Amino acid sequence: MAVTNPLTAHDVMRDAPVIPVIVLTDVAHAVPLARALVAGGIRMLEVTLRTPAALACIEAIAREVPDAVAGAGTVRSAHDAQAARKAGARFAVSPGYTQAVGRACRDLRLPLLPGVATGSEIMAASEDGYTELKFFPALQAGGLAMLKAWGGPFFDVRFCPTGGVTPDNAPEFLALSNVACVGGSWLTPADAVAAGDWARITRLAQEAMGLRA
Ligand code: 3PG
């Protein structure tokens, strides 16, 4: 499937069953990690803004791995969104929702998956035009039962549950009609990244691609 230009949140959520949540501390790991994920079929990469190296990692992936789509995770402010866009991020993911983040991403034309954990947050995000949302932290905030309950009043909203999702429970989430994909950190284990075990990461990505029944 071709990556559309401009990219939409819909494209980001439907490219693969899983969006990897990536934490990188060393910019030297960014390009080989992105190539390993792409080799396994995963192109939408959420690089979290949690480390001093994160923006440089996004920049390196955007520059050197054309088949990957580097996005920024942990976007908590308009400033984060601007810095992510400047580094070359093509989408943003936030752990919660504020109008400031929503507005900044719209101004920057940066597709945003805002994080929500309550009905009020879903209403606030959808009032601002966001109906493709990250459910975070999914397990801790109600998991499958919560998503099923939201399917009634929020019938037109689609979710990417993230937080506590694993290869074992992912199929149950992916089977729900209001779940477009899941997010998780299991594709990029810190020990595999530190050891440069890119083959393991490609294998994890390949397995993740097979998760949707
Ligand atoms: C995140 O950090 O965005 C999520 O908490 C990732 O959750 P996980 O480590 O449980 O996959």
Side-chain angles (χ1 to χ4, degrees), residues 7 30 34 49 56 77 91 126 188 193 196 208-209:
L7 189 75
L49 303 185
S77 64
F91 67 92
S126 47
T188 55
V193 175
M209 287 302 287

Side-chain angles (χ1 to χ4, degrees), residues 14-15 27 40 47 51-52 67 79 83 92 100 103 123 136 152 165 170-171 184 197:
R14 280 163 188 78
D15 202 58
V27 71
V47 179
T51 61
D67 290 337
H79 176 268
R103 249 196 317 268
M123 287 164 65
F136 176 77
V165 180
D197 189 352

